[in-house]
Amino acid sequence: MKFPSIWQKFQDNPAILGIGIIVILLFGLLLHEYLLDSLTVIFEPGSRRHHDFRIAVIHCLLAGYLPAVYFYGIRGTRNNINELEKVLEPVNVPTPTNIGKGSLIFWGLVGMMLAVFTPYLTAQSPWDPSTWNPEIWWHRGLGLFVGCWAGWAIFAGWHSSKRFSRLAVRINSVDLLDLSPLSPFVKQGLLTTLPIIGFMSIFSLFLLEPGQWPVVVILVGLTIPLALLGLLLPVRGLHRQIHEAKQAELQWTRERIWQSRTLLHGVAPEESSGKMGDLEAYLRLIEDVPEWPFQSSTVVRIVFYLLIPIASWFGGLLIEGVLELIWGIA
């Protein structure tokens, strides 16, 4: 009996992986503080270590979220490709889904380098261990881990989006009046975009710390265009196919209208008007077909998800206020 590899298990259960990492890291962080007899210090509102502890907790959340996103993207891409196979030609042609080890090494190093330079936005000497308290040790260590997985997740999303866009050339036909068989392209765009917005939701918790504003502003400025690109890139090839099919159908309809003009003189008025009316109605129907395969529900869903980071920030403020109230009463 062949048992699935650990890598395969991670792909099949990304949520369990992410939650497991978060639980282990939070438990380790609290155990570390307990062994140092620092629990009363880190939960004291307004203290420096209290703020550093909250930042460490956010790092723990990111450290669990990004690996889950990476494996969730791999699994979702494979499912979308399998769903799309019925409209592709030639059939039974395997589509590569693996990512090369060299690319993973490179993008992991890029992410770690960004994690090295990011602390310079909020501290003068961020890599001087003599100035670190125990919580900052967690920041720096988990920051490298988060940076590595962020590099992998971004590259995996970009790689799968490009691959999906290229699949559009294998579409055997585009039915302009029924684009539902091509919905995996839209699903792939959402698969790339929504995890980016989820990352913004967690990262927005850094706004609870006044000194973290520069990092958050820069990150939001980068991730919003990245999320939009992640939505459009997988459907770029399909957009081109829809555009070409639409133009061909419009040209055919206009030619039929032009050809029918000479035939209309030999038929009854009521019959001629009916034929011409049908052609004109069909022409308007094709003109109204959107060249991007997004429905209004897709747009509403994206707008809703964009509100999650704001809700996350207000939720963090609310929880912080409740904790300070409880601490003040105690």
Side-chain angles (χ1 to χ4, degrees):
M1 180 181 295
K2 184 178 180 181
F3 294 96
S5 64
I6 296 178
W7 196 258
Q8 184 63 42
K9 289 182 179 180
F10 287 162
Q11 294 182 27
D12 295 337
N13 302 283
I16 295 178
L17 171 66
I19 294 174
I21 292 176
I22 292 174
V23 171
I24 292 173
L25 288 176
L26 290 178
F27 177 79
L29 176 61
L30 290 173
L31 179 61
H32 186 208
E33 299 292 353
Y34 172 77
L35 294 176
L36 295 176
D37 197 21
S38 302
L39 291 178
T40 57
V41 177
I42 61 173
F43 288 114
E44 181 180 350
S47 67
R48 170 62 186 275
R49 293 188 61 178
H50 172 71
H51 294 291
D52 290 336
F53 176 77
R54 290 194 306 188
I55 296 177
V57 170
I58 298 174
H59 277 82
C60 292
L61 298 178
L62 292 174
Y65 178 78
L66 288 171
V69 164
Y70 175 81
F71 289 108
Y72 174 75
I74 293 177
R75 186 188 67 178
T77 298
R78 181 177 292 108
N79 293 340
N80 288 335
I81 290 177
N82 292 337
E83 185 179 348
L84 194 63
E85 284 293 337
K86 58 191 176 197
V87 298
L88 298 180
E89 289 184 353
V91 297
N92 299 325
V93 176
T95 302
T97 57
N98 296 328
I99 301 176
K101 294 182 180 180
S103 298
L104 288 178
I105 293 174
F106 174 78
W107 285 99
L109 290 175
V110 170
M112 294 177 69
M113 290 299 296
L114 291 176
V116 169
F117 288 106
T118 299
Y120 284 97
L121 297 173
T122 57
Q124 294 182 349
S125 301
W127 292 100
D128 182 6
S130 63
T131 62
W132 295 356
N133 56 40
E135 293 74 38
I136 295 181
W137 279 93
W138 281 81
H139 299 180
R140 300 298 179 256
L142 288 178
L144 296 176
F145 181 84
V146 168
C148 180
W149 279 100
W152 288 349
I154 292 173
F155 174 74
W158 175 73
H159 179 72
S160 61
S161 296
K162 284 181 55 181
R163 182 169 63 246
F164 232 85
S165 180
R166 295 193 190 103
L167 289 177
V169 299
R170 290 176 50 194
I171 297 176
N172 50 33
S173 63
V174 176
D175 185 355
L176 296 175
L177 302 182
D178 182 17
L179 297 177
S180 58
L182 305 177
S183 61
F185 285 94
V186 179
K187 292 180 181 178
Q188 186 66 26
L190 293 174
L191 181 69
T192 306
T193 299
L194 300 184
I196 296 176
I197 298 175
F199 175 80
M200 291 172 53
S201 300
I202 299 176
F203 207 88
S204 65
L205 295 175
F206 281 113
L207 290 174
L208 297 174
E209 307 297 331
Q212 301 295 321
W213 276 87
V215 178
V216 177
V217 170
I218 292 176
L219 183 82
V220 171
L222 293 175
T223 52
I224 290 180
L226 189 64
L228 181 60
L229 179 63
L231 180 66
L232 298 179
L233 185 57
V235 301
R236 183 183 58 174
L238 177 60
H239 161 68
R240 184 164 51 249
Q241 294 292 99
I242 295 176
H243 174 77
E244 293 175 357
K246 181 176 179 179
Q247 294 305 312
E249 194 71 7
L250 288 174
Q251 182 179 358
W252 177 87
T253 306
R254 293 189 181 107
E255 289 177 355
R256 289 297 301 270
I257 292 176
W258 181 82
Q259 292 171 0
S260 299
R261 291 172 60 188
T262 57
L263 302 176
L264 295 178
H265 299 285
V267 297
E270 61 274 7
E271 184 179 353
S272 63
S273 61
K275 290 183 178 180
M276 185 63 74
D278 291 341
L279 287 172
E280 291 178 348
Y282 183 69
L283 180 65
R284 290 193 295 271
L285 181 64
I286 298 300
E287 288 176 340
D288 292 338
V289 173
E291 296 187 2
W292 290 94
F294 299 118
Q295 300 179 352
S296 57
S297 59
T298 305
V299 178
V300 171
R301 189 175 181 181
I302 293 297
V303 173
F304 173 77
Y305 273 91
L306 285 173
L307 296 177
I308 294 179
I310 301 176
S312 175
W313 178 55
F314 278 109
L317 288 175
L318 178 61
I319 294 174
E320 178 67 16
V322 171
L323 291 178
E324 289 184 358
L325 179 61
I326 295 174
W327 186 268
I329 295 176

